[in-house]
Amino acid sequence: MRGRLRIYLGAAPGVGKTYAMLGEGRRARERGRDVVVGLVETHGRPRTAALLEGLEVVPRRRVVHRGATFTELDVAAVIARRPAVALIDELAHTNVPGSKNVKRWQDIDKLLDAGIDVVSTVNIQHLESVNDVVQEITGVPQRETVPDEVVRRADQIELVDMSPEALRRRMAHGNVYAPEKVSAAMANYFRVGNLTALRELALLWVAGKVDEQLDRYRADHGIEGTWETRERVVVALTGGPEGDTLVRRAARIAARTKGADLLAVHVTSSDGLAGADPANLARQRTLVEDMGGSYHQVVGDDVPRALLDFARGVNATQLVLGASRRGRFAQILSRGVGVETTSLSGSIDVHLVPHEEAKKGRRRPERARAALTRTRRLAGWAVALAGMPALTAALSPFRGVLSLPSEILLFLCLVVGVALVGGMWPAIVTAVGGSLLLNWFFTSPTGRITIAAPENLFALVVFVLVAAAVSTIVDLAARRTRQAARAGADAEVLSALAGHVLRGEAALSSLLGRLRETFGLDAVTLLERAGDRQDPGAWRIVATSGAAPCTAPAMADTDVAVGEDLVLAARGRLLDASDRRVLEAFAAEAAVALRQERLQEAAERAEPLAAADKMRTALLAAVSHDLRTPLAAAKAAVESLRNDEVAWTPQDRDELLATADESLTRLHRLVENLLDMSRLQAGVLGLSLQPVALEEVVPRAVDDLGALRDRIEGDLAADLPDIVADPALLERVLVNLMANAVRHSPPEHKVLITGSRHDDKVEIRVIDRGPGIPRADRERVFLAFQRLGDRDNDTGVGLGLALSRGLTEAMGGALTPEETPGGGLTMMVSMPVHDAVEPS
């Protein structure tokens, strides 16, 4: 037998959920039940911890994750202990990685399957359905959530309620958080407005759960009567013009009771045929939703019973109907929907609201009267009027040959044919006319009309019945065909919209253009509220397609609201209800497209800031070490030299001075690199381009390497021409490249620097025998603050190659990496030859 779950639900931390859970555990133990504590978090609250005294606590399971030790609920130990009740705190908790279950509610589910009753706790902000709402209210994201269905399945849910003021007093007294955290918590998450909103969310969620329990109880016990636990007003809509009046009257009735629900319902025939004006229904649905109500549609042939079944199903207390629009004679023949509903309503109050359309007669909409097209109706009349005399003339020569039943069957075929082509009225006229022609020309005595014989009367009745039956079937088939065609067209439009989304064509202009073409509209415009909501003219055009866009929803023939501040306005023709459903799908996609465009724009605006922030972060992280290292070495050397208590030998003194000099040189080079990189990025690097001989620059660059110069080997061609460069900057480039090559080359291999001419370029190659760089990563090494493959922190801030390429390109050259044959990396500096540069 599965255990029972009881949950204490709170609006915020500190309202007393764990305290209430422990209190229930102690009471259960006093009643003789076996109670254990599976896991309880006291958060250092002394009163909560005091309730744990005397209760058996199952030891927690220890989990090691990333070198740290955590404790979690030991499900196996609790099941092995097999208590009657287990107290387990924080239902929405996420277990430490490596646990058997991801969430604690999954652990609790295992205990319930084992037949153990569980008492747990959860806050409203952890429920999945309201998680985003809570984040919007408090500004704090909640990453630990529990599906609503898990909580709804609980056998008991008890709300632990506390007013915001009382909770803040508890916090001020130190009963919730440590004193050093109280001020920050009360100024942020625990503001009165936040707590009030969270409390309302919790109350409404529990109220919804109570409604479900009440509905289930009434269904289980077969209770069909209305229990007036909450005021619910249902208004019946027929699609007639009086619907606006009924909706407003029902809204006023609902407004008299705080918290009352307003529901609108329309009953459609089970045969699927439309009997109401779609435009009226669409407008009235919008009106209901604007007044905070909900719109519903049910199917039923018996309208009074369908209305009452719906009202009882939603536990309605009041039903609003319009006074009958039928005439006096029709009311004599039938009591009507209002009277019939009142007689069957029982405890539901029925309001019959008078209106201007009362007793004017019920007008069927044009589309209901004209299932067949006008062409088919005209064709039916033509066949009827031409077919009767033609058939009579064709049968006259065979009057003595054919029997009367054969002639009747031929006229019956004509009636069926007319019914198939033109519908009911041409068929009935053909039936009556055919009966008269048969009576005059083919029934004895001929030449006069007589219905003395019973078979004549029977033939006339059969003709009319056959005509009515066949034409009704044709009419129904035509309506169904039209509905199927319309549904197919809607499906095709929605399929095109889905394809539009899947192909990524989310541009608003493309979407609105497709919508305008689909419905043949003059203009389609997406409007957004701009400014005060009380100002009806405060709208701005977000996107439009077509000429003469609408500047406000009131100018549109059809408009669809997308949220509170977006409206899709269409101009050109009034769309009916079926078109409106497709329009709503387009409107929803337009809102998504707008949101995507704005997110993309925001991302594009944020990208430079993110790049700059990344650069700044990398710079600070790198410089914080690389400045500190040479400074610390230089400072230590200088302080050692200034120490009079130590008698330094000349050799030690020279070594300390060399250390200080080397550290300061590194520091000087680092500062120069940083300054040059900032000048490059700002575009203010000063250049002094002139003819330069490599045999002069390369030796100076090798000397600048200091102790590393012995690992450089040169091989420059003797006849190299002068190149155009800035001597100082070119030297800096070569020093950076050679230092980088030496650092990555094995000690037994020297770095080779070569120079050769190729057309109008001189190529300087710095060749090492190190590990090389994969082809896919070769461009990454030129990004600032990249130390691709480095494992030490003594290699600089990662500006060397980035600065080298920047300086080379500033001088009109190029720096590209190549693979060294046999392994390693070759950095090639390509500079223009002096003779090939046109004088300025």
Side-chain angles (χ1 to χ4, degrees), residues 692-702 712-721 723 730 734 738 752-757 762-767 829:
V692 175
L694 281 183
E695 58 267 20
E696 297 179 1
V697 175
V698 172
R700 290 202 303 268
V702 173
I712 303 297
E713 183 178 356
D715 185 14
L716 300 178
D719 56 348
L720 285 178
I723 61 175
L730 179 60
L734 295 178
M738 289 187 291
L752 178 64
I753 180 169
T754 67
S756 58
R757 177 171 182 169
V762 171
E763 295 179 354
I764 310 166
R765 285 178 168 84
V766 180
I767 305 168
V829 179

Side-chain angles (χ1 to χ4, degrees), residues 262-480:
L262 174 64
L263 303 93
V265 59
H266 172 67
V267 180
T268 59
S269 176
S270 60
D271 61 9
L273 300 181
D277 188 335
N280 281 346
L281 277 179
R283 187 184 66 255
Q284 290 158 14
R285 175 177 184 170
T286 303
L287 181 60
V288 169
E289 293 171 349
D290 288 345
M291 294 185 172
S294 59
Y295 178 85
H296 306 268
Q297 192 162 315
V298 298
V299 177
D301 293 323
D302 190 338
V303 175
R305 293 189 181 277
L307 285 175
L308 291 172
D309 287 343
F310 174 81
R312 293 191 179 104
V314 298
N315 201 24
T317 56
Q318 302 189 59
L319 180 59
V320 178
L321 302 108
S324 177
R325 285 187 284 148
R326 301 181 309 145
R328 295 182 183 275
F329 180 74
Q331 292 185 28
I332 294 174
L333 297 178
S334 174
R335 295 198 299 175
V337 173
V339 177
E340 188 71 19
T341 303
T342 303
S343 65
L344 300 174
S345 63
S347 59
I348 300 177
D349 296 338
V350 178
H351 302 265
L352 287 177
V353 179
H355 51 85
E356 295 180 356
E357 301 296 323
K359 296 184 180 180
K360 288 186 178 181
R362 187 177 180 85
R363 297 187 297 271
R364 295 182 63 81
E366 181 65 24
R367 291 184 67 177
R369 294 198 302 269
L372 298 177
T373 63
R374 186 170 181 270
T375 302
R376 285 188 62 176
R377 295 198 306 272
L378 292 176
W381 283 112
V383 172
L385 297 177
M388 287 187 291
L391 182 59
T392 302
L395 293 178
S396 294
F398 304 98
R399 189 178 300 169
V401 179
L402 296 176
S403 63
L404 180 61
S406 299
E407 295 162 341
I408 291 174
L409 287 175
L410 291 173
F411 268 92
L412 185 59
C413 289
L414 177 63
V415 171
V416 172
V418 172
L420 291 174
V421 174
M424 179 178 290
W425 293 113
I428 290 178
V429 170
T430 304
V432 175
S435 298
L436 296 177
L437 291 173
L438 282 170
N439 194 295
W440 181 275
F441 289 102
F442 302 103
T443 303
S444 298
T446 59
R448 61 177 180 168
I449 300 296
T450 176
I451 311 180
E455 61 270 17
N456 296 339
L457 179 60
F458 179 72
L460 178 60
V461 172
V462 169
F463 268 44
V464 174
L465 289 178
V466 168
V470 174
S471 59
T472 300
I473 294 173
V474 171
D475 186 80
L476 180 60
R479 289 175 184 270
R480 291 289 173 81

